[in-house]
Amino acid sequence: MKILSRNYSLVPVLVVAAAAMAQDKVPLKTQLPKPLFVGTPVPLNVPNLEPPLKGKRPDFMIPAGSVNLAKGKKVTASDENPVVGTLDLVTDGDKAGDEGSWVELGPGKQWLQIDLGKSANIYAVLLWHFHSQARVYRDVVAQVSDDASFKSGVTTIFNNDFKNEVGAGPGKDQNYVETYQGKLIDAKGAKGRYVRFYSNGNTTNKLNDYIEVEVWGKPA
Amino acid sequence: MVDKLNRREFISATAVAGAAMLLEGCKSDANEQKAAVPKSSLNTINVALIGYGEEGKVLLESLLNIEGVRLVALCDIWDYHRGEGERYLQKLGNQVHTYENYEDLLAKEKDLQAVLIATPDFWHAPMTNTCLKAGLHVYCEKMMSNTIEGARSMVKTMRETGKLLQIGHQRRSNPRYVFTLNRLLHEAQFCGRLTAIQGQWNRAVKEDFGWPKKYEMPASMLAKYGFKDMHQFRNWRWYKGLGGGPLSDLGAHQIDIFNWWLGTTPKSVTASGGLDYFKNHDWYDNAMVIYEYPVESAVARAFYQVQTTTSAGGGYFEQFMGDDGTIRMSEDPAICAIYREARATAVSWDDLAQKGYVKAKPVAADATKVDVRETAALAEYEIPVFFNKPPHQPHLENFFNAVRGKGKLNCPADEAFSSEYVIHKANEAVAAEKKINITDEEVRA
């Protein structure tokens, strides 16, 4: 009788917890830029390429109350003298693919980092490289850490650098073609104050372009 | 030295032995249009690039991959783009002199052998003519000019100066195009008698180009270089007097292939088009054109359409159709295909495959199930030549080889003029709403 009583009391807790978790998720909502196409389409010869998204991306659920923690936050980069633009363009809310909306880091391996100001639980990251042309940026890695130097406590949330070119370890994620919808990365609640992105040029040129980054989460 | 970052170029012939050698065999070894060129140090060709907009950037990326060529000067009237190019090249270890005005560039650069011109079309003729007269070889993007007279003047100056002038119809140096033309169309007579040609470039709606407000050019500067305002500067392709509209901007690629592959120009053109969608452009946004080509004492009609409001219908391609087979070509290999009619018996697929001219595509599981009321699907093969260079690079390489006296230009200005003349006539036909006849005499520069 005592045992039955204990089992019975667990059920309402699980049901309540499950209901609470289900009610606590909401679709990630963000404003998308207009599609913009520039120049002659270039045939892509890229291995392990993600199939193109057909139509609108399905809703991605994040905990209610999550906000874009990156908005207006400080940006640093491995290239302190960009080819064009300024680093603050990455978190200014402008996702347009037109001239003046992106910062262009120099050729080869580069990183760009956003300081969220305080540690946070991160559920989703949206990343817009130059998206006015069907490009593939090479060796894209996204990491989260509380360590500004990314030497300890690093969580990798995306990595398609299968040859370990940028030195963040070999990755298995697929290459993808840039579009106006940006790249959605499931961060799975990774905890950290800093978010860092690597790339190594793209299929059009050797440069590394960032239009906007959104980091959706809650302060830890 | 230019850093060779991410250089991944190669030519390969997948699953077909010897195809790469076939490419080598396709190259012309004629000694025409070679040029003696004053040597810079270590036989490096010093080059200037005029125009660093969308197309200039494309040319630069190819240029960076080419051995023995050094960019020494960059010119653009917009300091925003000019500075961008300078910083990029500096990061690659390449110091360049930058100029707003091309005449200043020519006056100050003393050790220069060639110039690449990637400016709005209405500037092509005066810039090209000035550079040729300054003793430089020129690679000029297509269209030669927004006017027939401008284009004709370029050919005249080329002839008078004896300098090389390559026009940027880059497909003429594309290894797949060269291979297919020489081996399949000509040698193997794959299509049999050509009876029809079809081409298109369908592109989705896109916003006009914008610009960062804080980097706007002063009105006086814009006026100095022929632009009414920043919008016109950024979107010159859509303005009459500056560019030739979408038939010129996009259609020139395919229509040039019509002329090149047929080895002739059409005898007439009929066209229709309209400014039906965009409200702030001069040029029409769509056009449909019919050319009539003389072929084997008969007529082969070529249909071409350019759409700037839809990407449906397969992008861009040229399709040559004959009574034995069809070849569909595109700069995008994914679009290319060749089909053979059941009646074709002169050359078998096996013969072509053994020669390395074609490669069979995998047959879908249900492909052989044909309703007796329908025509059986044509056998589909693909062209077994692949290359992984930027699309414009082979054409630039051809130019520099000719400058060194090691090859013939694949698209010299006089040939380009004949091809482009009929594109201008298509624009005239749209405006006149009638058929326009074209004579052999008028297509020659």
Side-chain angles (χ1 to χ4, degrees):
Chain A
M1 189 64 186
K2 190 173 183 181
I3 293 174
L4 287 176
S5 176
R6 287 179 180 175
N7 287 340
Y8 179 78
S9 69
L10 287 175
V11 171
V13 173
L14 292 173
V15 170
V16 169
M21 291 179 66
Q23 294 170 6
D24 204 34
K25 295 275 189 174
V26 296
L28 190 159
K29 296 294 186 183
T30 188
Q31 187 171 1
L32 295 179
K34 292 180 179 178
L36 191 64
F37 306 102
V38 174
T40 302
V42 177
L44 295 174
N45 185 12
V46 178
N48 192 29
L49 191 63
E50 181 180 82
L53 188 63
K54 294 182 178 179
K56 183 184 174 183
R57 174 187 291 130
D59 285 343
F60 184 81
M61 308 303 289
I62 55 177
S66 299
V67 298
N68 174 19
L69 301 169
K71 184 69 181 299
K73 295 300 196 304
K74 182 182 178 184
V75 181
T76 54
S78 52
D79 183 357
E80 296 179 351
N81 182 29
V83 171
V84 71
T86 53
L87 295 174
D88 59 358
L89 294 171
V90 178
T91 57
D92 66 350
D94 175 11
K95 303 161 194 165
D98 223 329
E99 293 273 8
S101 295
W102 68 81
V103 62
E104 188 163 70
L105 308 182
K109 305 169 190 175
Q110 301 284 0
W111 56 259
L112 178 136
Q113 182 165 306
I114 299 171
D115 180 359
L116 302 178
K118 61 179 73 172
S119 190
N121 293 312
I122 299 168
Y123 305 108
V125 171
L126 275 163
L127 168 62
W128 285 267
H129 290 122
F130 183 85
H131 58 75
S132 298
Q133 187 183 43
R135 295 181 180 180
V136 175
Y137 281 79
R138 306 187 193 279
D139 307 327
V140 176
V141 179
Q143 296 181 318
V144 175
S145 178
D146 277 315
D147 177 8
S149 67
F150 277 75
K151 292 182 177 177
S152 64
V154 176
T155 302
T156 298
I157 58 175
F158 183 87
N159 186 346
N160 66 18
D161 179 13
F162 65 98
K163 292 184 178 178
N164 193 21
E165 295 281 356
V166 302
K172 297 182 178 179
D173 290 310
Q174 289 184 298
N175 290 304
Y176 63 92
V177 178
E178 297 292 333
T179 74
Y180 73 103
Q181 297 192 59
K183 177 62 177 175
L184 174 67
I185 299 171
D186 182 357
K188 300 181 170 68
K191 180 177 176 293
R193 170 174 169 175
Y194 304 93
V195 185
R196 179 178 280 197
F197 303 90
Y198 293 86
S199 61
N200 189 10
N202 61 79
T203 50
T204 295
N205 55 45
K206 303 167 180 56
L207 297 160
N208 300 273
D209 308 278
Y210 290 86
I211 287 180
E212 192 73 11
V213 174
E214 294 182 346
V215 179
W216 291 85
K218 296 180 178 181
Chain B
M1 285 293 294
V2 175
D3 193 357
K4 300 185 178 66
L5 295 171
N6 290 324
R7 184 169 179 174
R8 305 182 184 185
E9 61 183 61
F10 63 90
I11 295 177
S12 69
T14 56
V16 181
M21 296 180 67
L22 293 171
L23 274 180
E24 188 69 28
C26 291
K27 294 180 181 177
S28 170
D29 56 5
N31 292 326
E32 297 174 42
Q33 287 176 312
K34 296 184 179 180
V37 59
K39 293 185 177 180
S40 57
S41 63
L42 302 176
N43 203 27
T44 298
I45 299 175
N46 288 338
V47 180
L49 173 60
I50 303 177
Y52 197 63
E54 285 68 32
E55 190 60 28
K57 294 176 185 177
V58 167
L59 294 184
L60 176 62
E61 289 307 312
S62 286
L63 200 66
L64 295 172
N65 295 333
I66 300 175
E67 300 282 357
V69 175
R70 179 174 65 180
L71 187 67
V72 297
L74 177 67
C75 176
D76 196 286
I77 65 173
W78 194 13
D79 56 358
Y80 178 75
H81 274 171
R82 198 165 66 240
E84 176 184 358
E86 182 177 24
R87 286 188 292 274
Y88 178 31
L89 290 161
Q90 282 175 346
K91 290 178 185 291
L92 293 172
N94 185 359
Q95 296 292 331
V96 292
H97 303 137
T98 59
Y99 300 88
E100 172 205 308
N101 184 289
Y102 77 102
E103 290 171 314
D104 291 340
L105 182 156
L106 296 178
K108 294 180 180 177
E109 295 294 329
K110 301 304 180 184
D111 186 17
L112 201 60
Q113 288 82 55
V115 175
L116 311 183
I117 295 176
T119 56
D121 292 355
F122 74 108
W123 271 109
H124 287 179
M127 287 179 171
T128 295
N129 290 336
T130 302
C131 290
L132 292 170
K133 291 174 182 175
L136 303 173
H137 303 292
V138 175
Y139 180 108
C140 179
E141 267 300 328
K142 63 85 187 159
M143 294 271 285
M144 295 171 70
S145 174
N146 61 317
T147 68
I148 292 173
E149 294 71 24
R152 202 182 293 274
S153 76
M154 293 163 70
V155 179
K156 180 173 182 286
T157 305
M158 176 188 76
R159 290 170 174 162
E160 289 175 349
T161 61
K163 296 300 175 182
L164 298 174
L165 175 54
Q166 172 104 299
I167 305 303
H169 291 286
Q170 75 268 9
R171 287 164 177 74
R172 289 197 180 218
S173 298
N174 184 307
R176 288 172 60 84
Y177 275 79
V178 174
F179 175 87
T180 304
L181 172 67
N182 290 338
R183 299 301 178 192
L184 289 178
L185 196 66
H186 287 172
E187 181 184 322
Q189 296 284 306
F190 180 84
C191 294
R193 172 175 159 177
L194 286 171
T195 53
I197 302 100
Q198 183 184 344
Q200 70 173 43
W201 192 314
N202 290 359
R203 189 180 71 187
V205 171
K206 73 178 191 69
E207 302 291 324
D208 286 350
F209 292 141
W211 61 93
K213 302 302 180 185
K214 63 183 179 181
Y215 294 111
E216 285 195 357
M217 294 171 63
S220 58
M221 176 80 76
L222 289 165
K224 175 182 175 183
Y225 291 107
F227 302 100
K228 182 177 68 175
D229 52 31
M230 277 300 290
H231 181 268
Q232 197 180 66
F233 167 64
R234 293 285 291 145
N235 299 281
W236 59 268
R237 289 172 175 80
W238 289 109
Y239 288 89
K240 293 181 177 179
L242 306 182
L247 270 178
S248 172
D249 194 37
L250 303 174
H253 292 289
Q254 281 73 54
I255 297 167
D256 178 63
I257 302 302
F258 291 177
N259 299 326
W260 175 38
W261 277 31
L262 291 173
T264 187
T265 49
K267 301 306 178 189
S268 72
V269 58
T270 307
S272 176
L275 183 57
D276 303 314
Y277 187 87
F278 297 100
K279 302 306 180 186
N280 60 343
H281 295 167
D282 278 355
W283 281 108
Y284 50 75
D285 45 58
N286 66 93
M288 298 182 178
V289 183
I290 297 174
Y291 290 106
E292 292 181 324
Y293 286 89
V295 176
E296 295 184 19
S297 303
V299 173
R301 288 184 176 81
F303 171 74
Y304 185 79
Q305 73 166 358
V306 60
Q307 304 289 339
T308 60
T309 57
T310 179
S311 59
Y316 54 96
F317 60 80
E318 311 86 28
Q319 186 160 278
F320 289 77
M321 297 174 274
D323 56 359
D324 281 346
T326 290
I327 297 172
R328 186 173 65 207
M329 280 301 296
S330 174
E331 204 167 60
D332 184 349
I335 299 174
C336 298
I338 49 180
Y339 306 91
R340 183 171 176 269
E341 299 281 348
R343 69 183 294 277
T345 56
V347 179
S348 73
W349 282 121
D350 286 343
D351 289 340
L352 294 174
Q354 286 175 9
K355 289 183 175 180
Y357 292 3
V358 300
K359 176 187 176 187
K361 278 190 174 180
V363 178
D366 58 352
T368 56
K369 299 177 181 178
V370 177
D371 188 314
V372 295
R373 295 167 295 180
E374 298 177 1
T375 302
L378 301 179
E380 188 174 341
Y381 282 67
E382 64 184 5
I383 298 156
V385 176
F386 302 89
F387 81 111
N388 199 24
K389 294 182 178 180
H392 293 70
Q393 186 171 331
H395 206 45
L396 284 164
E397 290 171 339
N398 171 252
F399 171 66
F400 293 120
N401 282 339
V403 169
R404 291 192 176 90
K406 297 181 177 178
K408 171 189 175 184
L409 289 179
N410 286 338
C411 191
D414 51 345
E415 288 187 29
F417 177 88
S418 297
S419 190
E420 292 186 4
Y421 183 87
V422 303
I423 299 166
H424 289 287
K425 286 298 179 179
N427 276 341
E428 287 185 26
V430 170
E433 298 182 345
K434 67 177 185 179
K435 182 176 179 178
I436 293 178
N437 292 319
I438 303 170
T439 67
D440 290 338
E441 183 65 28
E442 64 188 283
V443 300
R444 287 194 292 270

